[in-house]
Amino acid sequence: MKKIAILGITGSIGISAVNVVRQHPNDFEIVLASSNNNYSKLFELAVEFNIPELVITNSALEQKITDIPKNSDLNFGEDELQRRIGSVECDIILNAISGSAGLRSSITTISKGTDLALANKESLIMAGHKIMKMLKHSETNLIPVDSEHSAILQAIGNSTPEEIRSIIITASGGPFRDLPLNEFENITLEDTLKHPTWDMGAKITIDSATMMNKGLEVIEAHWLFHKSYNDIKAVIHPQSIIHSFVEFVDGSILAQLGFPTMQIPILYALTHPKHIKSTIQKTNILDLPNLNFRELSIERYPLFEIAVNAGIQGGILPTILNASNEAAIDLFLDKKICFRYISRIVEKQISKFHNFQNPSIEEIIQINKDVYTQTKQNYKNLI
Ligand code: NDP
Ligand code: MG
């Protein structure tokens, strides 16, 4: 029985993880869970799984909440979440918090030396250089939850980076992969939130439509698999059956495939390096649609190139990329800007800031906050 903590248990990945636990009651026990606002769902899960420790990161809710599950210890605030991560006895922590808010929890987990199942890709985008350095001196195994990176990890197996010629990340292309470019002006929020193959939280669904998500995944792969940006490519694969490829130096290519459900990569991250018996999803090869691949168009997805370039330049630039993107997405969700302006805002913000190398975690957190706030306040001058 593995003791697990699920941070962001009320989100899309969090609920998929809960479904994994429901199907494997003898393999996993949830010992700590967090949400930001959604306390009713958190409490419902606390009762179902008898979760002893809960944290609600939005401390403003402390005054409002009265009816607490009787077998759980409830705490409030971001600092308290870090304290609980530090003190909880568990085998693995699943970081399924969305956006830059997940960074501190990754750092605390690695400082503590507990294994980290990482869904929160933003941690690596902002602080990949620090996280990789910390991992060298920590007992933490970092296992990616992102389906593409789970696929790459499985395909690489025990091979060394020198045996790998390139990594090819697949992308569904999102809801607008076939939309004529002259119709991009009319894209609505509702259109953007309808992903063709994956059911995910709002931020990553919008990132998939702009292909920022694929740019972030290239940066994530660079850190996780120690390959240079020249050796990481992305291709459109509309069916989302092949989750990525690894090309070896002898010309051989390995891929991992399966029906698109996040429950499989979540389960694998929790059981790595073993595959355990599960009935989560069986993929019948004979039922698969025809699989096809096409090039990713930069004209259609300018944010992909902007993101990869920020990754190549490194330093504080990926934090600026991430913060301005999070702000632009929130503006789009509030219907203050149109779809096209997301990339325009990010591009303008990136060109304005001076890059510097090797930022500290404190600098990353502060600059992320400043750029986010400044982008939201100043957006009218950026469009
Ligand atoms: P959701 O928006 O569905 O869920 C986010 C979770 O984080 C919720 O539990 C939410 O709590 C909590 N949260 C939100 N803001 C904060 C905050 N400021 N502090 C602490 N907790 C917070 O996101 P997803 O599940 O879609 O994504 C989670 C992460 O996984 C992201 O980094 C994403 O890129 C990555 N990922 C997601 C995939 C997917 O299929 N969804 C696939 C691959 C990667 P509350 O509910 O109370 O607001
Ligand atoms: Mg992914």
Side-chain angles (χ1 to χ4, degrees):
M1 178 79 87
K2 262 193 175 177
K3 290 185 174 169
I4 62 174
I6 306 181
L7 317 179
I9 198 168
T10 47
S12 160
I13 290 286
I15 295 298
S16 291
V18 164
N19 286 328
V20 168
V21 175
R22 276 197 191 105
Q23 292 173 70
H24 292 271
N26 299 323
D27 294 300
F28 306 115
E29 178 191 354
I30 309 172
V31 294
L32 166 68
S34 81
S35 73
N36 191 41
N37 285 313
N38 191 349
Y39 59 87
S40 51
K41 187 76 198 169
L42 180 71
F43 291 175
E44 192 187 306
L45 295 169
V47 171
E48 180 183 346
F49 293 96
N50 213 2
I51 307 174
E53 287 197 64
L54 306 175
V55 180
I56 294 171
T57 39
N58 180 358
S59 37
L61 291 172
E62 190 163 2
Q63 310 308 325
K64 195 173 157 189
I65 296 172
T66 47
D67 208 4
I68 300 163
K70 55 178 186 309
N71 293 333
S72 305
D73 178 20
L74 174 66
N75 285 283
F76 290 87
E78 171 67 33
D79 290 344
E80 199 55 44
L81 176 62
Q82 302 313 315
R83 270 195 285 280
R84 299 288 150 170
I85 295 171
S87 64
V88 70
E89 260 183 51
C90 72
D91 299 298
I92 188 159
I93 294 175
L94 169 61
N95 184 352
I97 294 173
S98 61
S100 50
L103 174 60
R104 278 184 71 194
S105 298
S106 296
I107 299 295
T108 308
T109 304
I110 301 170
S111 305
K112 176 183 174 166
T114 303
D115 285 354
L116 173 61
L118 187 63
N120 181 264
K121 63 188 85 183
E122 292 84 357
S123 295
L124 281 172
I125 306 313
M126 301 163 76
H129 60 296
K130 287 282 173 207
I131 289 177
M132 289 302 125
K133 213 180 232 171
M134 285 176 76
L135 285 172
K136 282 191 187 148
H137 308 287
S138 162
E139 285 179 19
T140 298
N141 290 304
L142 192 162
I143 308 114
V145 167
D146 220 344
S147 56
E148 295 77 2
H149 304 74
S150 177
I152 297 162
L153 181 74
Q154 292 174 62
I156 289 180
N158 291 326
S159 306
T160 60
E162 296 69 41
E163 291 172 78
I164 293 152
R165 182 179 291 154
S166 74
I167 287 171
I168 302 153
I169 302 180
T170 53
S172 73
F176 311 131
R177 65 174 173 244
D178 297 316
L179 189 73
L181 288 178
N182 61 9
E183 290 179 30
F184 268 56
E185 299 302 327
N186 310 322
I187 289 173
T188 64
L189 174 62
E190 291 69 25
D191 298 335
T192 312
L193 291 175
K194 272 187 228 136
H195 194 279
T197 47
W198 295 98
D199 182 14
M200 311 180 283
K203 192 231 171 211
I204 186 170
T205 304
I206 297 170
D207 278 343
S208 298
T210 61
M211 211 58 100
M212 168 62 100
N213 184 48
K214 220 39 62 177
L216 299 182
E217 288 182 357
V218 168
I219 303 175
E220 192 185 357
H222 162 77
W223 291 117
L224 286 171
F225 305 113
H226 314 287
K227 294 304 290 178
S228 91
Y229 284 97
N230 283 338
D231 300 332
I232 307 172
K233 301 177 184 75
V235 293
I236 303 276
H237 167 45
Q239 298 80 18
S240 299
I241 296 292
I242 294 192
H243 301 307
S244 281
F245 302 91
V246 174
E247 181 192 15
F248 292 86
V249 284
D250 59 4
S252 169
I253 296 179
L254 287 185
Q256 186 263 355
L257 55 153
F259 183 85
T261 166
M262 284 310 294
Q263 290 186 45
I264 290 179
I266 291 169
L267 175 65
Y268 184 64
L270 297 176
T271 63
H272 175 270
K274 282 196 175 142
H275 288 272
I276 67 163
K277 195 168 173 184
S278 179
T279 52
I280 284 175
Q281 185 75 51
K282 201 165 175 321
T283 304
N284 186 346
I285 298 290
L286 295 176
D287 292 342
L288 291 182
N290 285 338
L291 305 182
N292 45 55
F293 307 94
R294 58 176 112 133
E295 211 165 322
L296 191 155
S297 146
I298 299 305
E299 199 187 359
R300 182 173 293 273
Y301 304 114
L303 272 180
F304 172 77
E305 198 179 32
I306 292 170
V308 174
N309 281 334
I312 292 169
Q313 291 179 60
I316 197 67
L317 221 56
T319 296
I320 291 160
L321 171 90
N322 189 64
S324 53
N325 182 55
E326 282 189 17
I329 285 179
D330 286 346
L331 290 162
F332 181 60
L333 282 167
D334 290 343
K335 300 198 170 177
K336 290 192 171 141
I337 60 165
C338 67
F339 182 80
R340 276 277 197 219
Y341 289 164
I342 300 175
S343 59
R344 196 178 298 185
I345 287 175
V346 174
E347 192 171 15
K348 284 219 175 133
Q349 286 295 56
I350 286 215
S351 63
K352 253 178 44 190
F353 283 88
H354 279 296
N355 196 14
F356 66 94
Q357 293 300 318
N358 202 22
S360 67
I361 297 292
E362 294 70 34
E363 284 172 323
I364 291 171
I365 289 173
Q366 188 57 48
I367 291 173
N368 178 68
K369 205 167 149 198
D370 293 348
V371 173
Y372 177 86
T373 310
Q374 198 258 349
T375 309
K376 277 196 88 173
Q377 283 168 354
N378 201 28
Y379 74 93
K380 286 191 179 145
N381 297 324
L382 298 166
I383 56 182

